Amino acid sequence: MIFGRRKATSDTVPKGVQTVEEIDVELMQRQHELDEMNKESTTNWEMIRSFLVCGAAFFADAYLMFISNVIVMIMGYVYYHDAEGSGKNEVPTKWSTLVKVAVQTGCLLGQLILGRLGDKFGRTGVFAMGAILVIISTVGASFSNSAVRGFNVFVFLFIWLVLVGIGVGGDYPLAATITSEYANEQTRGKMMAAVFSCQGLGNVSASIVAIVVLACFKSAIQNDVYTLDYVWRICLGFGAIPGAITLYWRLTMPESKRFQEEAKRRLAAAAAQDLEPETESLLLVKPAFVAAAADEPLDGQQQPAASTSSLRMNKLHDEVYEMQPVGSSNTCSVEDGTVQPEQAAAVQATRRQQETFGQYFGQWKNLKVLLGTSIAWFAVDVAFYGINLNSSVVISAIGFSGNVQTDDPYHVLTRNCLGNIIINLLGSIPGYICTVFTIERLGRKPIQLLGFAALTALYIVIGFAYHKILDASNVAFIVLFTLAQFFQNFGPNVTCFVWPGEVFPTRFRATAHGISAASGKLGAIVAQAGLMSIKDRGGPNAFIPHLIEIFALFTLIGFFVTFWIPETRGKTLEEITGESDD
């Protein structure tokens, strides 16, 4: 086998001879594909549709998560109206906790299971499957009732809401990966933040729908409190409507080009399994071939045996390294002792696919990113859901809602919903908006660090001066509380969703996002089932100041683990994950 090195131009390269970069035969084509994907990721119908569908999904998800706070209050009047003493019109803690953690428990399972399925079978198909599960389960939950013997209504509601949560949980990793893979590096953070910000609208809408339904039944409720049994069922069932409206677009949404390319490489990797043993040694010595050619310029010499052939390799700049067949054919084969470019590309794909999830995250540089996204999400959700799933407790503590035992049910329920709307409009919604419009300017890391730092300071002040602030001014307490809501969303609540959709490679993106999100839901469960269950230690709501102090500790932890996550602003997904080098 004879190799030659010559200065070549487009005129000197014979027709039909393939030109590739010096070492990696696949790299130039891969880079071209990435460039095309980034060009096509500009604002177009596919990106707009993905945003609208994913945004609607998060609107519905947030509605279903936060409506549980409302329906637990309503169910207290329906099922415990005849209770004696302080338990009158209030659902016992064990049952209210069961209902409030149901969706969170399902979310944790859905994020892990559907996230993994999204990487394996495709994002959009699993995304649609999750919507179908949410619709069916929400309708089923709205018809929950007590058995004559056995489980009561709260147990059946828990079962249905866990199923709702599985579908809702799948939306986190799937909506994040769909949006990130459709968007370009200039708008990706803004698009993902906007999708997640629909959670704020869903939270507010849960209270608005409850107020409207309560108004429709106002006179009936005042005549017969058990009319509220219709109200909570209607409010809950409304959560199935957004999913039903967008189901068609979920079913017909195409996969992103990034995922399609990854699927092609998986097929190539599978097809190359039989080739790898024969080609491995040849690929390992390829750089030596180039070096030999550089040392032996043999322009014009003829190769005596037509049956011997070699590859032509080119460096697409000033010099072109050629290893060309002078004999009969340009087609190379393993039997001849050479490797076809297609075979080389397949083996490269095989190597990449052989790096399993465990091997990839077995490296500290990758594992610390996953730990950073997971621990930060856990930390912020302990505080976020500890506060938001119990907003009625906080609203009641400042005396805004009235007395649940003695006041008119319509008045108490309406005031609670109105208080939730005010808090969200003053704090949460502006926080979401600020993140959407600044995330591409400030970056993810500065926003998350600022949010965690501000939350730590605010929770310390509110927790340690809780009673002093309330005694001095309810307005001051509300201002501090809404500031905390603001920095939750102009901070880690949004960035913890955005970051995991960017920092992991395509083949693991939905799985790793699902793990990060599931860590957050574990935090929500810890807050609700663990911390908030002791809120009445020492008296009604007596332990709330200490819970807020505990929230400050978690947000401080979130601040420090944020440094493990790399900044992604202005970078393509391939630049962030190193996939452009594969």
Side-chain angles (χ1 to χ4, degrees):
M1 184 182 300
I2 300 175
F3 301 96
R5 179 178 185 268
R6 67 180 62 174
K7 190 82 170 180
T9 65
S10 59
D11 296 331
T12 63
V13 178
K15 184 178 180 181
V17 176
Q18 185 179 9
T19 60
V20 294
E21 289 199 29
E22 182 177 7
I23 295 177
D24 192 345
V25 74
E26 188 191 18
L27 184 57
M28 185 175 67
Q29 180 182 0
R30 171 69 173 149
Q31 190 60 50
H32 175 71
E33 291 169 354
L34 296 179
D35 291 341
E36 289 298 315
M37 281 190 285
N38 285 324
K39 288 178 182 178
E40 292 176 8
S41 292
T42 54
T43 303
N44 52 37
W45 167 238
E46 286 78 11
M47 189 169 70
I48 294 172
R49 180 170 67 171
S50 71
F51 166 72
L52 293 175
V53 173
C54 293
F58 265 88
F59 173 88
D61 295 347
Y63 179 93
L64 289 167
M65 282 190 287
F66 294 108
I67 196 66
S68 61
N69 186 42
V70 177
I71 66 174
V72 165
M73 288 191 297
I74 298 174
M75 292 175 79
Y77 287 98
V78 176
Y79 296 98
Y80 293 93
H81 183 61
D82 295 327
E84 299 293 333
S86 61
K88 181 179 176 64
N89 296 331
E90 288 193 274
V91 176
T93 301
K94 65 176 181 178
W95 298 124
S96 65
T97 300
L98 192 70
V99 173
K100 290 178 181 180
V101 302
V103 176
Q104 310 304 323
T105 303
C107 275
L108 190 153
L109 297 174
Q111 286 158 347
L112 295 173
I113 296 170
L114 299 188
R116 178 69 188 102
L117 294 178
D119 278 337
K120 190 173 181 61
F121 299 110
R123 286 82 156 100
T124 57
V126 181
F127 192 45
M129 181 178 71
I132 294 171
L133 180 60
V134 169
I135 294 167
I136 295 173
S137 302
T138 301
V139 174
S142 65
F143 285 98
S144 297
N145 217 327
S146 297
V148 175
R149 293 179 180 175
F151 295 150
N152 64 18
V153 63
F154 298 102
V155 175
F156 284 112
L157 186 59
F158 171 81
I159 294 170
W160 280 114
L161 290 181
V162 168
L163 295 176
V164 170
I166 292 174
V168 167
D171 287 345
Y172 279 72
L174 297 173
T177 52
I178 289 170
T179 306
S180 69
E181 290 173 358
Y182 265 110
N184 59 42
E185 65 271 24
Q186 284 79 32
T187 61
R188 186 181 60 244
K190 182 183 293 186
M191 294 289 290
M192 296 179 72
V195 165
F196 190 73
S197 295
C198 293
Q199 184 184 77
L201 299 177
N203 190 348
V204 172
S205 296
S207 296
I208 292 174
V209 169
I211 289 174
V212 171
V213 177
L214 284 167
C216 292
F217 287 88
K218 180 178 180 180
S219 58
I221 293 169
Q222 291 173 337
N223 292 328
D224 182 7
V225 72
Y226 293 108
T227 305
L228 286 169
D229 192 47
Y230 296 110
V231 174
W232 77 260
R233 297 178 190 277
I234 293 171
C235 290
L236 179 57
F238 185 85
I241 296 176
I245 292 173
T246 60
L247 180 60
Y248 171 79
W249 286 277
R250 287 209 204 192
L251 291 169
T252 57
M253 181 185 293
E255 294 288 354
S256 69
K257 285 186 170 55
R258 284 184 169 89
F259 183 81
Q260 292 179 37
E261 291 300 324
E262 182 63 27
K264 289 178 183 177
R265 288 194 294 277
R266 289 179 186 174
L267 293 175
Q273 289 292 338
D274 295 334
L275 293 173
E276 185 170 6
E278 297 174 301
T279 60
E280 182 71 15
S281 60
L282 291 169
L283 287 174
L284 289 174
V285 300
K286 183 164 62 174
F289 288 172
V290 178
D295 292 335
E296 289 188 281
L298 296 171
D299 293 351
Q301 294 193 17
Q302 294 293 323
Q303 182 176 350
S307 61
T308 304
S309 62
S310 64
L311 285 176
R312 174 187 302 268
M313 297 186 66
N314 301 291
K315 185 177 180 182
L316 298 180
H317 296 292
D318 295 332
E319 293 185 340
V320 180
Y321 293 97
E322 297 176 335
M323 294 186 290
Q324 68 181 63
V326 191
S328 57
S329 174
N330 288 328
T331 303
C332 308
S333 66
V334 173
E335 289 77 8
D336 292 334
T338 58
V339 185
Q340 292 186 13
E342 292 80 3
Q343 293 172 332
V347 173
Q348 294 284 357
T350 302
R351 287 173 176 169
R352 181 170 56 250
Q353 292 301 325
Q354 283 179 337
E355 187 177 41
T356 64
F357 183 91
Q359 290 171 334
Y360 180 83
F361 288 105
Q363 305 171 55
W364 172 244
K365 66 176 183 178
N366 300 323
L367 178 61
K368 73 176 182 179
V369 177
L370 181 60
L371 288 175
T373 57
S374 300
I375 296 173
W377 209 332
F378 175 89
V380 71
D381 273 10
V382 168
F384 181 80
Y385 285 98
I387 294 291
N388 284 278
L389 285 181
N390 299 278
S391 58
S392 60
V393 174
V394 177
I395 293 168
S396 176
I398 63 176
F400 184 80
S401 62
N403 190 307
V404 70
Q405 277 83 37
T406 59
D407 289 354
D408 175 55
Y410 175 82
H411 170 81
V412 172
L413 294 170
T414 302
R415 294 276 289 181
N416 264 288
C417 292
L418 183 60
N420 185 58
I421 293 172
I422 292 171
I423 290 172
N424 277 279
L425 290 180
L426 290 177
S428 296
I429 300 299
Y432 284 119
I433 294 172
C434 285
T435 302
V436 170
F437 287 102
T438 62
I439 193 168
E440 296 297 356
R441 294 183 180 182
L442 300 179
R444 287 67 163 157
K445 185 172 288 187
I447 291 176
Q448 183 156 310
L449 288 173
L450 173 64
F452 271 132
L455 287 172
T456 302
L458 286 167
Y459 287 146
I460 288 174
V461 171
I462 295 172
F464 285 97
Y466 185 86
H467 294 292
K468 291 181 180 178
I469 296 171
L470 280 178
D471 292 341
S473 172
N474 280 352
V475 174
F477 184 90
I478 293 173
V479 168
L480 290 173
F481 190 77
T482 53
L483 278 174
Q485 296 288 89
F486 175 82
F487 282 108
Q488 280 176 342
N489 297 298
F490 182 50
N493 191 42
V494 177
T495 52
C496 281
F497 172 82
V498 173
W499 242 339
E502 301 177 309
V503 293
F504 303 114
T506 305
R507 60 192 182 277
F508 304 135
R509 185 168 292 128
T511 301
H513 193 289
I515 292 171
S516 303
S519 299
K521 287 297 168 281
L522 180 61
I525 294 170
V526 167
Q528 186 59 49
L531 298 178
M532 294 305 296
S533 64
I534 59 175
K535 68 181 178 64
D536 293 328
R537 179 176 292 181
N541 297 329
F543 204 73
I544 286 181
H546 303 298
L547 292 178
I548 296 175
E549 294 164 12
I550 293 172
F551 295 161
L553 175 62
F554 280 101
T555 55
L556 183 62
I557 293 171
F559 177 87
F560 287 111
V561 299
T562 298
F563 290 101
W564 289 350
I565 314 171
E567 180 57 67
T568 57
R569 179 172 63 94
K571 298 179 182 179
T572 67
L573 294 176
E574 291 70 30
E575 289 172 338
I576 297 165
T577 61
E579 289 179 288
S580 58
D581 298 328
D582 288 344

